[in-house]
Amino acid sequence: MNRHHWWRDAVIYQVYVRSFLDSTGDGIGDLAGVRAGLPYLKKLGVDGIWLSPFYPSPQHDHGYDVADYTGVDPVFGDLAEFDLLVDAARRLGVKVLLDIVPNHCSSEHPWFRAALAAAPGSPERARFHFADGRGPDGAEPPNNWHAMFGGPAWTRITEPDGRPGQWYLHMFTPEQPDWNWREPEVAAEFDRILRFWLDRGADGFRIDVAAGLYKHPDLPDSPDPEADARTRDSVNPLAWNRPEVHEVWRHWRAVCEEYTARDGRERLLVGEVSVPTAREHARYVRPDELHQAFFFDLLGAPWDADAFRKVVSEAMQDIAGTGSTVTWVLNNHDQVRTVTRYGEPAPEGSGLGPARARAAALLMLALPGAAYIYQGEELGLPEVVDLPDDVLTDPIFRRTGSRARVRDGCRVPLPWSGQASPFGFTSGAEGVRPWLPQPEWFAEHATDRALADTRSSWHLYRDGLQLRAALDQLGEGTLRWLDTQPGVLAFTRGDDLVCAVNFGTAPVPAPVAGTPLLASAPCPPGTLPGSTAAWWIDGS
């Protein structure tokens, strides 16, 4: 494989820090816990980790409301612990990516507090989107936009003299005011933030809401104001995917190239880009912009061979055509876990979900490009669907009162060992429990049990990653589709390796003695004429 540009075919593991491993006994994961888990991740075989936000924050959206972009929240550690983590990762050859949030900050950020204390039209308010209201006495929001997490996208403030005042824009929650990227001070501040973390050894950044940042300069009404809240996706063209945003990524790419030129270590920018088509997605990964952008269409595809083929084909044509590689994902901290998404929503993950999740994982690892794995997927963890209302922390639940699309179920702390909660996640004093409750059935998925069972999902992932690293045909490159019987998706990687996925209608082949579990097996007779070796994945 081409290892000069390490990111082109890298496999990155997403660490949701507060749910990974608790080193202090307070029931919340932390940076020292991540450091302690690095040997586990190295053994799994990933190339790097992406850390969820650990910055000082009031935690209204679990760190995606940042109060200080160049610090560490005490609940997660401090800058010295971050430095230790980076050093330990570098010794193991594991890259470290940070999650940066440039679309919005916390309402407790010093700049926003200064804006509240300043007058309308002041430089302090220019850093955000403040506007006068409409209607009598300005009592109506400036426009009809709705927030992604429910409710209006505007909140009215009380001016320093006590009068009802202007409104400010927040496309997520009122605790997350949107930055105004048309104000040069904002761009300069994020330039400082990038350099601060690059100077401390970060290998790059995952960029939250990368299609956001710029809003229509006139802030007009939307013809479909509820679209964002209804779809929980960034579809309002007045607030997302504005053409000006590409200049930001060109500048950030230049900053990364500057650091690479100093020491030869490539820094990576990977964007959370939610846009309607693969062609629009491709604009974000042009040679002078982001290195990667998550391709969510595979995550959203139904379990169907034709649907998967269409998604992969469009990505290879439009995204790989830019000279970048596709960045595949099946899950993250905002999505229902794959075992549950592909099967029945039974807490213990019964039914079709586990087999389909395993098949999807190996399919993703066989595709050309890079791949991202969300923590716990390697353990075959299902979604926790029955958390009591009184423990839910997702702002979507707080703002809507609905459990639909609430994200806590995929964020429950990982089970590491033992037969009962806290399953080795925390060793705190009696009475200290994980910040979200772990169900009893987590024992079936604990890491110690997974490592001991060669049939587990952990070994499936590890074997797949080992094959990906060992076989030149995998990783970066191209694929060629093969004609198959209905219900089977098959393609070649190179001249002598075939990936075939059973979506439920093909006969299941017998395993070959001595081959890694589900990594190599004979194909059903007549399925792949002329092939001599195959990566056969059974999702039936």
Side-chain angles (χ1 to χ4, degrees), residues 169-297:
L169 179 69
H170 49 83
M171 293 305 298
F172 290 88
T173 73
E175 295 83 12
Q176 295 168 291
D178 280 38
W179 292 107
N180 177 14
W181 274 81
R182 299 184 189 280
E183 169 55 47
E185 253 193 304
V186 173
E189 175 65 2
F190 274 91
D191 193 82
R192 180 188 73 85
I193 293 163
L194 289 184
R195 293 177 183 278
F196 176 87
W197 293 111
L198 291 171
D199 288 342
R200 296 195 89 96
D203 292 293
F205 302 93
R206 177 266 186 184
I207 304 166
D208 188 59
V209 195
L213 279 62
Y214 280 88
K215 280 64 179 173
H216 190 291
D218 299 326
L219 299 175
D221 277 343
S222 168
D224 186 3
E226 296 183 1
D228 283 354
R230 183 177 65 249
T231 63
R232 218 190 85 196
D233 207 351
S234 47
V235 295
N236 178 359
L238 303 172
W240 312 108
N241 198 25
R242 306 291 304 171
E244 302 95 320
V245 76
H246 295 282
E247 287 304 316
V248 177
W249 308 138
R250 291 187 182 98
H251 176 69
W252 284 28
R253 179 67 175 261
V255 171
C256 288
E257 299 293 346
E258 174 190 328
Y259 276 80
T260 297
R262 293 181 190 177
D263 57 18
R265 288 196 303 114
E266 283 193 295
R267 274 60 166 198
L268 169 65
L269 297 174
V270 55
E272 181 195 34
V273 174
S274 296
V275 291
T277 67
R279 183 164 298 178
E280 289 177 273
H281 180 111
R283 296 176 60 209
Y284 286 82
V285 292
R286 289 176 288 195
D288 61 342
E289 295 194 37
L290 303 178
H291 300 81
Q292 298 177 334
F294 297 125
F295 187 64
F296 294 118
D297 291 32

Side-chain angles (χ1 to χ4, degrees), residues 60-338:
H60 290 292
D61 189 17
H62 289 168
Y64 286 91
D65 49 324
V66 182
D68 176 4
Y69 286 86
T70 56
V72 175
D73 195 299
V75 75
F76 299 125
D78 53 26
L79 285 172
E81 182 55 55
F82 173 81
D83 294 339
L84 290 173
L85 170 58
V86 170
D87 289 344
R90 184 152 299 153
R91 288 195 300 271
L92 291 172
V94 175
K95 308 289 187 182
V96 178
L97 308 182
L98 309 189
D99 206 324
I100 194 165
V101 189
N103 180 73
H104 49 266
C105 65
S106 166
S107 55
E108 296 186 17
H109 190 285
W111 280 16
F112 188 72
R113 298 205 314 226
L116 294 179
S122 64
E124 289 84 358
R125 291 200 178 176
R127 297 165 175 163
F128 302 92
H129 295 278
F130 279 86
D132 294 330
R134 301 189 292 193
D137 302 319
E140 299 296 325
N143 66 27
N144 66 353
W145 296 0
H146 281 220
M148 296 280 286
F149 292 169
W154 294 89
T155 290
R156 195 176 195 184
I157 70 167
T158 299
E159 297 292 350
D161 63 5
R163 293 180 298 106
Q166 289 190 305
W167 298 71
Y168 69 90
L169 179 69
H170 49 83
M171 293 305 298
F172 290 88
T173 73
E175 295 83 12
Q176 295 168 291
D178 280 38
W179 292 107
N180 177 14
W181 274 81
R182 299 184 189 280
E183 169 55 47
E185 253 193 304
V186 173
E189 175 65 2
F190 274 91
D191 193 82
R192 180 188 73 85
I193 293 163
L194 289 184
R195 293 177 183 278
F196 176 87
W197 293 111
L198 291 171
D199 288 342
R200 296 195 89 96
D203 292 293
F205 302 93
R206 177 266 186 184
I207 304 166
D208 188 59
V209 195
L213 279 62
Y214 280 88
K215 280 64 179 173
H216 190 291
D218 299 326
L219 299 175
D221 277 343
S222 168
D224 186 3
E226 296 183 1
D228 283 354
R230 183 177 65 249
T231 63
R232 218 190 85 196
D233 207 351
S234 47
V235 295
N236 178 359
L238 303 172
W240 312 108
N241 198 25
R242 306 291 304 171
E244 302 95 320
V245 76
H246 295 282
E247 287 304 316
V248 177
W249 308 138
R250 291 187 182 98
H251 176 69
W252 284 28
R253 179 67 175 261
V255 171
C256 288
E257 299 293 346
E258 174 190 328
Y259 276 80
T260 297
R262 293 181 190 177
D263 57 18
R265 288 196 303 114
E266 283 193 295
R267 274 60 166 198
L268 169 65
L269 297 174
V270 55
E272 181 195 34
V273 174
S274 296
V275 291
T277 67
R279 183 164 298 178
E280 289 177 273
H281 180 111
R283 296 176 60 209
Y284 286 82
V285 292
R286 289 176 288 195
D288 61 342
E289 295 194 37
L290 303 178
H291 300 81
Q292 298 177 334
F294 297 125
F295 187 64
F296 294 118
D297 291 32
L298 190 66
L299 184 158
W303 186 254
D304 177 81
D306 292 338
F308 269 59
R309 177 167 177 162
K310 180 177 184 292
V311 164
V312 172
S313 295
E314 290 178 352
M316 294 301 298
Q317 174 182 317
D318 294 325
I319 298 170
T322 66
S324 181
T325 55
V326 185
T327 304
W328 307 102
V329 292
L330 288 171
N331 198 240
N332 61 36
H333 65 292
D334 289 331
Q335 304 295 330
V336 174
R337 287 194 177 276
T338 54

